[in-house]
Amino acid sequence: MHSENELISLINSLLNEEEHSVKSIDHDQLKEPFIKENVHDPIEEDGFIEVRDNRLFIKDPDIGGRIPVLVYNKELNIYINGKKMTKDTSVNSLDEINWEIAKQQEPFIITVSKDKMKVFFKLSPETASDYRLKNKSRSVRFLLEIEPVRKKIDIKGVLSSIIESLNEKGIKADLKMDVVYKELIDPTFEEIVIAEGTPPINSKDASIELLFSEKKEESFEEVEGRIDFRNRVKIPSVDVGDLIAILHQPVEGQAGMNVYGKKIYPKPPKKIILRGKSNVKITDDGKVYALSKGRPSITGKTVKYIDILPYYEIFNDVNMWTGNIIFHGDVIVHGNVTENMRIESLGNVIIYGNVYSATIISAQNITVKGVAINSRLYAGRHGVLFSQIYETVQKLEVDMKKIQTAFQQIMNVVRKRELSIRKTYIFFLLMEQKFKNTVNDINKLLKIISEMERLNMNIPIQINIMKKILSSIFMNRGTFLETNLPHVLNCLLLAFKDVSIFCENSIKEDSNIEVGESDFSEIKTNGTVRIKKNGVIHSNIFAGKDCILEKNAVVRGGRIYASRQIIGGIIGSKSGDTPHLIAKKRIYAKEFYHGRISLNHQTIIVDEFLNNVEFSIDPTTKTISYNSLDNKKDSNRKDT
C-alpha cells in the first residue's frame, strides 16, 4: 500500500467497479411436448365415450372389447370420482366425471397508467361467455373438448366487482359510470378509461416583453434621386421617456390530483431577475423606461441587464488621427479601419468599409460590409475569451466535484488502514491517473487568462480570485496546501460558480459576426459567423453556433470550426490549398472540390468534385457519411 502501484490499485478499485450480469435461460419459453390425440372408431364389442347435447355418455365394453379411455386434456381440469385426472385414464359407465376450465380468466382487468392519472378497464370475453361440452361422435379413445356459448352479462355483479377492485387498489378518482355501463351493455372488449385524475395547471414563467427590436434593419432611402446605400443600416433606437420593456411576473400554477387522491404540484415558475443600468428606470409594476436616447440592449442569462447604449459614429477612416476606439456603446464607422488600429466596444460594431490588419472586439455583434484582411474580429464579450472561460469553467466545476468525491473515498480508506500518506501526493496522483483531461483544461483556462492580461483587458475580480486559487493548488505544493487541501478545493468550487454566474450575466446570448469577405484573418464569436460576399481565404474562423457562407462564397484554405453546422457555398477550388472544416452536426456545400472534413472527432479527406453535398455522422456505422445529388458514400477513412 505504501508503494505508488498499491495506491494506483486502490484508485482503480474505487473508481472502476464493474457490474456483471448473468443471463438465465427462460425455461417457460421451452416448447412443451406435443400431445397427439389418437382416435379409434369402436367396433361392436368395444366400449366408447360420446358427447351429445352437453352430456357425456360412457358405454362399457362387451367381453373381448376394448375399455374406453379418456384422453388427458391440459386445457381442462377433469375429475373422475373426485380425483383430478393427470394422464390418459380408463373409465366406465359408473364413474362420476366432472370438469372445469384449467385456467379461469379474470372477468376484467384494471390497470393504472404510469403517470397515475388514468385508470384503464378491459372486459374479458369470458364474462360474456359460458362453456359446454362439444358434441363429438363415439370413440374408444376420447378427448373431452368444450365450446363457448354466448350469455348475458351480469351487469350488477360485474359492476359490484369493479367497485370492489377499485377500492382494493386505493383508487380515489370518480368512476365514469356511463362509460362502464356502455361497455357492459355493448361490449367491445377493448381497453377503456373509466377514471381520471385532475391534471395540475402549469405555472407561467416570468417573461420580458421587449418593445424594441434587438436586430438592426436595412432600409433603402432615396436622397436627391439616388439610393443611399451607405446609410441603409438603421439601428434600433429609443428616446427619453419611451417604454422599452415590460417584466411579466411569474404565475403559480394549481395543484392537481392523481387517481390515488395524491396531490400533484406543478413545476414552480421560473423567475427573472431584471436589473436596469443607469440609463433606464424600472417601475414597481415591471415597466422599463428609457432615461436617455440611444440603442436599447439586454444582456445576461441568470440575471438580465437592460441598458441604453449611446452611439459613437466616425464618418471617415479609423486611423492614427482618430486613434484606437474604446467605447461602452455602439461604434459605427463609415470608412475603413486601417493598419494596427483597434476598436473595442461593449455594444455593436458596424464598419461600412474594409478592415486592414486591425483588431475589432465587441461584446455584442460585429458587421463588416467590406473585406477583413489580415485582421482579428472577436464578438461576444471581448472576443470569445469570456465564452471560452465560461465553457471551460463549467466543465471544470463538474470534474472537480468528481475529483473531490474520489479523493474523499481514498482518504477514508487511508485513515481506516492508519496509513501515513500525504494528502497532496494522493491528490496529484489521482489527477495524473484518472483526470488527465482536467489538468489540460486547467492549463487551457490559465492560458486564456494570460491572453486577457496580454491584451490589457480589465479582468473581473471573480476571475482573478479563481486564478489565485488555481495557482495555490498547482503551483504551490507546500505545507499550506497539505494542511488546507479540502478547504482549498471547496473554495475553488465556489470560485468556479462565481465565474460562471459573472460570464452568464456578461455574455450576450447571440453574438454574431457578419463580414463581406475574410482574407488571412481570424474571426471568433460565441454565436454565428456569416460570410456575405466572395468568401474566405486562409482564415481561421470559430463559431459558437453556425458558420454560414452565402450564395457563391468560396472557401480557399484555412480552418473553419462551428459548434453546430457549416453551411457553405463553394468549398475548395480547382487549384489551391485544402481547407479544413470542423463541425459537430453537419457540413453542407453547394459545390465541393476538395477538403478535410471533421465531425464527432473523426476526420476524412475528400478529393473529388461533389454537387450539393452534405457530410454527417451515420447513426448506424457511427462514421462520417456524405451524400450528394450524384451519389452516396459511407466512409470511415481517418486523416492520419
Side-chain angles (χ1 to χ4, degrees), residues 103-315:
K103 293 182 180 180
Q104 294 282 353
Q105 290 190 352
E106 295 292 333
F108 54 81
I109 298 174
I110 291 178
T111 56
V112 178
S113 61
K114 288 184 179 180
D115 61 1
K116 302 177 183 178
M117 293 300 292
K118 291 182 179 181
V119 179
F120 297 102
F121 170 83
K122 187 175 182 180
L123 186 66
S124 171
E126 306 294 323
T127 308
S129 302
D130 207 347
Y131 289 92
R132 67 178 184 182
L133 294 176
K134 184 178 180 180
N135 289 341
K136 294 183 68 174
S137 59
R138 57 187 63 177
S139 175
V140 177
R141 291 180 58 82
F142 193 89
L143 179 66
L144 199 63
E145 296 179 293
I146 59 174
E147 60 185 2
V149 179
R150 185 69 183 239
K151 73 171 184 179
K152 188 177 181 180
I153 296 176
D154 179 9
I155 294 177
K156 186 176 180 180
V158 173
L159 188 58
S160 176
S161 298
I162 291 172
I163 295 172
E164 183 179 350
S165 178
L166 292 175
N167 289 334
E168 289 176 355
K169 294 178 181 291
I171 304 297
K172 304 296 183 183
D174 292 337
L175 179 63
K176 297 182 178 181
M177 296 295 294
D178 56 333
V179 175
V180 176
Y181 270 119
K182 183 178 178 181
E183 178 66 14
L184 296 180
I185 294 171
D186 185 17
T188 63
F189 306 112
E190 300 290 334
E191 194 172 65
I192 60 173
V193 178
I194 61 170
E196 291 185 84
T198 304
I201 297 175
N202 293 330
S203 302
K204 187 176 181 180
D205 295 338
S207 63
I208 299 175
E209 181 184 357
L210 300 179
L211 304 179
F212 60 89
S213 172
E214 290 190 276
K215 298 180 180 180
K216 63 183 185 298
E217 298 176 353
E218 290 193 9
S219 63
F220 297 91
E221 294 182 1
E222 188 173 326
V223 179
E224 297 180 354
R226 295 183 179 182
I227 299 297
D228 183 5
F229 289 95
R230 181 176 293 275
N231 296 306
R232 70 180 184 270
V233 178
K234 303 299 180 183
I235 306 294
S237 63
V238 295
D239 290 321
V240 176
D242 283 355
L243 177 63
I244 61 175
I246 301 174
L247 172 62
H248 297 285
Q249 296 296 336
V251 179
E252 293 283 349
Q254 294 183 11
M257 188 173 294
N258 66 20
V259 296
Y260 296 105
K262 184 178 179 180
K263 281 190 175 183
I264 304 172
Y265 296 96
K267 290 183 179 180
K270 293 181 181 179
K271 298 180 180 179
I272 292 179
I273 301 174
L274 180 63
R275 293 178 180 170
K277 295 193 176 180
S278 58
N279 293 320
V280 299
K281 176 185 177 181
I282 303 177
T283 62
D284 293 339
D285 57 354
K287 293 182 179 179
V288 184
Y289 291 93
L291 298 181
S292 65
K293 184 178 180 180
R295 181 180 71 83
S297 170
I298 185 165
T299 59
K301 292 184 178 179
T302 305
V303 179
K304 297 286 187 181
Y305 293 89
I306 193 164
D307 198 7
I308 305 297
L309 301 179
Y311 304 133
Y312 185 83
E313 200 163 6
I314 301 103
F315 290 92

Side-chain angles (χ1 to χ4, degrees), residues 473-519:
I473 294 175
F474 294 95
M475 305 301 176
N476 177 15
R477 303 190 183 187
T479 305
F480 173 79
L481 185 62
E482 177 67 24
T483 306
N484 299 280
L485 182 59
H487 175 69
V488 173
L489 292 179
N490 285 330
C491 290
L492 181 60
L493 284 172
L494 290 174
F496 283 156
K497 188 172 183 179
D498 287 343
V499 171
S500 294
I501 292 173
F502 172 82
C503 290
E504 284 179 355
N505 295 335
S506 302
I507 299 170
K508 192 174 188 295
E509 294 183 21
D510 290 315
S511 296
N512 304 316
I513 295 179
E514 182 180 294
V515 61
E517 180 181 337
S518 173
D519 298 346

Side-chain angles (χ1 to χ4, degrees), residues 42-62:
I43 58 178
E44 188 176 349
E45 294 83 3
D46 293 339
F48 61 81
I49 305 172
E50 181 181 10
V51 171
R52 293 194 309 270
D53 299 329
N54 199 33
R55 294 180 60 191
L56 181 67
F57 297 94
I58 300 176
K59 175 185 174 297
D60 296 325
D62 295 334

Side-chain angles (χ1 to χ4, degrees), residues 320-570:
M320 292 296 293
W321 294 101
T322 63
N324 292 329
I325 307 298
I326 310 296
F327 190 63
H328 64 282
D330 289 348
V331 175
I332 303 172
V333 180
H334 290 273
N336 302 318
V337 181
T338 61
E339 289 84 352
N340 299 318
M341 301 310 296
R342 184 183 188 91
I343 296 177
E344 289 190 35
S345 167
L346 292 180
N348 295 320
V349 175
I350 301 173
I351 300 167
Y352 286 98
N354 302 321
V355 180
Y356 300 106
S357 300
T359 300
I360 312 297
I361 297 174
S362 168
Q364 298 191 15
N365 305 306
I366 296 175
T367 299
V368 178
K369 293 296 181 179
V371 183
I373 302 174
N374 192 32
S375 297
R376 291 152 299 283
L377 279 61
Y378 305 138
R381 190 61 183 177
H382 298 292
V384 291
L385 293 178
F386 277 82
S387 298
Q388 290 174 341
I389 285 178
Y390 178 66
E391 292 174 5
T392 307
V393 165
Q394 282 200 316
K395 185 174 183 297
L396 283 172
E397 186 176 0
V398 174
D399 290 345
M400 197 55 66
K401 287 179 181 178
K402 294 179 181 177
I403 293 170
Q404 193 177 39
T405 301
F407 174 75
Q408 191 59 49
Q409 289 177 339
I410 296 170
M411 287 302 303
N412 290 340
V413 174
V414 169
R415 293 191 191 97
K416 186 176 181 181
R417 299 184 184 180
E418 299 181 351
L419 301 172
S420 178
I421 304 177
R422 289 188 299 112
K423 296 174 187 175
T424 50
Y425 177 76
I426 295 173
F427 176 77
F428 288 108
L429 185 62
L430 179 65
M431 295 282 288
E432 180 183 340
Q433 293 294 321
K434 291 296 177 183
F435 296 94
K436 292 181 180 178
N437 289 335
T438 303
V439 176
N440 294 334
D441 288 337
I442 290 171
N443 290 330
K444 175 184 174 183
L445 183 61
L446 293 174
K447 286 181 180 178
I448 296 171
I449 298 173
S450 296
E451 176 65 12
M452 296 171 71
E453 292 171 341
R454 187 184 69 80
L455 295 172
N456 295 319
M457 292 176 60
N458 183 20
I459 300 176
I461 188 172
Q462 294 91 336
I463 293 178
N464 279 323
I465 291 173
M466 176 185 67
K467 178 188 175 184
K468 186 175 181 180
I469 297 173
L470 285 171
S471 299
S472 71
I473 294 175
F474 294 95
M475 305 301 176
N476 177 15
R477 303 190 183 187
T479 305
F480 173 79
L481 185 62
E482 177 67 24
T483 306
N484 299 280
L485 182 59
H487 175 69
V488 173
L489 292 179
N490 285 330
C491 290
L492 181 60
L493 284 172
L494 290 174
F496 283 156
K497 188 172 183 179
D498 287 343
V499 171
S500 294
I501 292 173
F502 172 82
C503 290
E504 284 179 355
N505 295 335
S506 302
I507 299 170
K508 192 174 188 295
E509 294 183 21
D510 290 315
S511 296
N512 304 316
I513 295 179
E514 182 180 294
V515 61
E517 180 181 337
S518 173
D519 298 346
F520 303 96
S521 295
E522 183 175 69
I523 298 176
K524 293 184 178 182
T525 178
N526 60 354
T528 295
V529 173
R530 190 179 294 271
I531 308 298
K532 299 285 287 187
K533 296 179 181 177
N534 296 335
V536 176
I537 299 176
H538 287 284
S539 294
N540 181 18
I541 296 177
F542 173 93
K545 290 187 177 178
D546 303 327
C547 182
I548 300 172
L549 296 101
E550 296 189 356
K551 299 179 181 177
N552 294 320
V554 182
V555 179
R556 299 179 177 92
R559 180 180 185 271
I560 298 178
Y561 173 90
S563 292
R564 295 197 307 202
Q565 61 182 345
I566 298 173
I567 301 175
I570 301 170

Side-chain angles (χ1 to χ4, degrees), residues 90-107:
S90 300
V91 293
N92 60 61
S93 59
L94 298 178
D95 290 332
E96 181 181 344
I97 299 174
N98 298 299
W99 61 273
E100 65 182 8
I101 299 174
K103 293 182 180 180
Q104 294 282 353
Q105 290 190 352
E106 295 292 333

